[in-house]
């Protein structure tokens, strides 16, 4: 899983948590400098490329002695995981991608990222930067307006952004801005892939393009109505049934107390409270350092 801050809504949704925690041991991977309590990265440290970030995933898997894994990522994280799957197919059992990227940045995205990077450099994680990022993440309904107050989800995101080191965010944007187009290699990726995309996401066309370029025998695209890029935060319930059917292909199911109906609401009382604690989701895994090629 790439960057835990994108998955709090999903894992604190009891139905999805029961499905995932019943079948998987969860490891989350954050980009360098984005882990909890991270300090600013030194200016003379080299900026990792998208390839470097993908190779770091291999180091994490080897460190923990993991074999083939199920990968889940959002936007840029989904791109890094897809790139990793293309480079190390034998280490990926399947991909669950939310609002994924696969093409090189368009001129508009490149310009957008340059503006955000300059603001981060001169003013840090200021209000304007947060507004830019919230527009990229969420639908209009979640962001609110003059008549509708901002949702709890957006407010929680603002607090998480305050905890980020602006120089680290800027470096990550620089890495993603230099990503190559991987569309041509998608047909060769014989890996089961489930893609979620919100119909209000700025990455909607890119997700559709990616699904069209993947082998149709291995890929499914789920469009979520009235939702932005962060389907995991805005509408985690919309992910439940598609994920259930996707995981059934691997012989994975919900716990027996949830087998009444694949579409019925699940009872939170069936989930032990400690399973929803941050510790059980890997938030206290000891960080490890990975290398970046000079």
């Amino acid at each position: 899983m790439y960057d835990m801050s994108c998955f709090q809504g999903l894992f604190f949704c009891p139905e999805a948590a029961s499905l995932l925690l019943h079948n998987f041991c969860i490891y989350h991977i954050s980009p360098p400098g984005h882990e909890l309590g991270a300090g600013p990265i030194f200016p003379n440290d080299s900026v990792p490329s998208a390839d470097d970030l993908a190779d770091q995933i291999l180091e994490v898997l080897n460190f923990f002695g993991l074999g083939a894994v199920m990968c889940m990522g959002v936007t840029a994280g989904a791109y890094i995981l897809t790139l990793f799957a293309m480079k190390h197919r034998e280490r990926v059992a399947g991909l669950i991608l939310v609002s994924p990227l696969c093409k090189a940045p368009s001129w508009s995205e490149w310009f957008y990222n340059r503006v955000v990077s300059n603001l981060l450099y001169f003013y840090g994680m200021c209000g304007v930067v947060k507004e830019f990022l919230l527009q990229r993440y969420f639908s209009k309904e979640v962001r609110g307006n003059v008549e509708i107050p901002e949702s709890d989800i957006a407010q929680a995101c603002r607090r998480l952004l305050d905890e980020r080191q602006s120089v680290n965010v800027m470096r990550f944007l620089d890495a993603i801005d230099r990503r190559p187009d991987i569309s041509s290699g998608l047909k060769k990726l014989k890996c089961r892939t489930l893609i979620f995309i919100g119909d209000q996401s700025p990455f909607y066309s890119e997700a559709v393009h990616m699904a069209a370029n993947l082998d149709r025998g291995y890929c499914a695209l789920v469009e979520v109505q009235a939702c932005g890029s962060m389907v995991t935060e805005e509408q985690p319930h919309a992910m439940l049934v598609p994920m259930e059917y996707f995981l059934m292909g691997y012989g994975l199911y919900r716990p027996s107390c949830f087998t009444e109906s694949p579409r019925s609401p699940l009872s939170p009382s069936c989930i032990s409270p400690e399973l929803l604690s941050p510790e059980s989701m890997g938030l206290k895994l000891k960080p490890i350092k990975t290398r970046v090629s000079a």
Side-chain angles (χ1 to χ4, degrees):
M1 201 169 52
Y2 207 79
D3 198 347
M4 188 65 194
S5 61
C6 298
F7 296 95
Q8 293 190 18
L10 180 65
F11 278 90
F12 282 93
C13 167
E15 300 92 329
S18 67
L19 173 67
L20 296 172
L21 295 176
H22 176 72
N23 289 296
F24 297 103
C25 176
I26 308 296
Y27 293 79
H28 85 272
I29 304 174
S30 295
H34 288 250
E35 65 273 14
L36 292 175
I41 298 174
F42 294 113
N44 56 343
D45 287 351
S46 59
V47 178
S49 66
D51 272 313
D52 291 329
L53 293 172
D55 290 338
Q56 287 178 351
I57 295 173
L58 181 63
E59 293 194 38
V60 172
L61 298 189
N62 291 339
F63 179 88
F64 288 106
L66 303 176
V69 296
M70 183 71 67
C71 297
M72 181 185 294
V74 178
T75 58
Y79 173 90
I80 299 299
L81 291 172
T82 304
L83 182 59
F84 172 72
M86 295 171 69
K87 298 178 70 173
H88 305 282
R89 174 63 188 89
E90 73 284 356
R91 303 301 292 271
V92 179
L95 291 168
I96 300 176
L97 309 176
V98 181
S99 307
L101 312 175
C102 65
K103 297 189 286 188
S106 63
W107 280 107
S108 60
E109 184 189 345
W110 178 88
F111 179 76
Y112 179 99
N113 287 342
R114 289 300 88 204
V115 170
V116 172
S117 292
N118 285 331
L119 288 170
L120 285 167
Y121 181 81
F122 288 107
Y123 303 105
M125 188 60 71
C126 60
V128 177
V129 171
K130 292 177 190 175
E131 289 299 328
F132 272 132
L133 294 176
L134 287 175
Q135 288 177 18
R136 178 175 284 189
Y137 297 157
F138 300 118
S139 64
K140 296 177 181 178
E141 290 77 12
V142 169
R143 299 197 310 270
N145 52 43
V146 178
E147 299 177 351
I148 304 173
E150 189 174 69
S151 71
D152 293 340
I153 297 172
Q155 291 176 18
C157 184
R158 286 183 187 276
R159 291 191 293 271
L160 285 171
L161 290 173
D162 281 330
E163 297 172 5
R164 294 284 190 260
Q165 297 286 344
S166 56
V167 65
N168 299 358
V169 176
M170 183 175 65
R171 288 166 60 89
F172 183 66
L173 282 175
D174 288 344
I176 296 303
D177 243 2
R178 294 182 283 113
R179 69 182 186 270
D181 190 322
I182 59 174
S183 301
S184 59
L186 292 176
K187 284 290 185 186
K188 301 175 185 178
L189 182 60
K190 306 299 182 181
C191 176
R192 292 182 181 178
T193 304
L194 177 61
I195 298 176
F196 292 93
I197 183 66
D199 65 350
Q200 295 184 26
S201 169
F203 306 116
Y204 178 86
S205 61
E206 190 141 353
V208 173
H209 171 81
M210 182 174 185
N213 280 271
L214 285 164
D215 190 314
R216 292 186 178 181
Y218 291 86
C219 173
L221 174 67
V222 179
E223 180 180 324
V224 182
Q225 299 295 318
C227 189
S229 300
M230 299 278 261
V231 182
T232 49
E233 296 296 317
E234 279 197 61
Q235 297 196 35
H237 288 85
M239 300 178 65
L240 178 62
V241 172
M243 283 198 304
E244 280 189 288
Y245 284 111
F246 181 72
L247 295 177
M248 281 180 187
Y250 297 88
L252 303 175
Y253 300 88
R254 282 185 290 176
S256 58
C257 59
F258 297 135
T259 56
E260 295 179 4
S261 167
R263 292 185 180 274
S264 64
L266 307 180
S267 171
S269 62
C270 294
I271 304 171
S272 179
E274 58 267 20
L275 290 181
L276 298 179
S277 68
E279 291 83 359
S280 71
M281 290 186 250
L283 286 178
K284 288 196 174 180
L285 287 174
K286 182 179 178 181
I288 66 171
K289 293 183 178 181
T290 54
R291 298 181 298 276
V292 177
S293 302

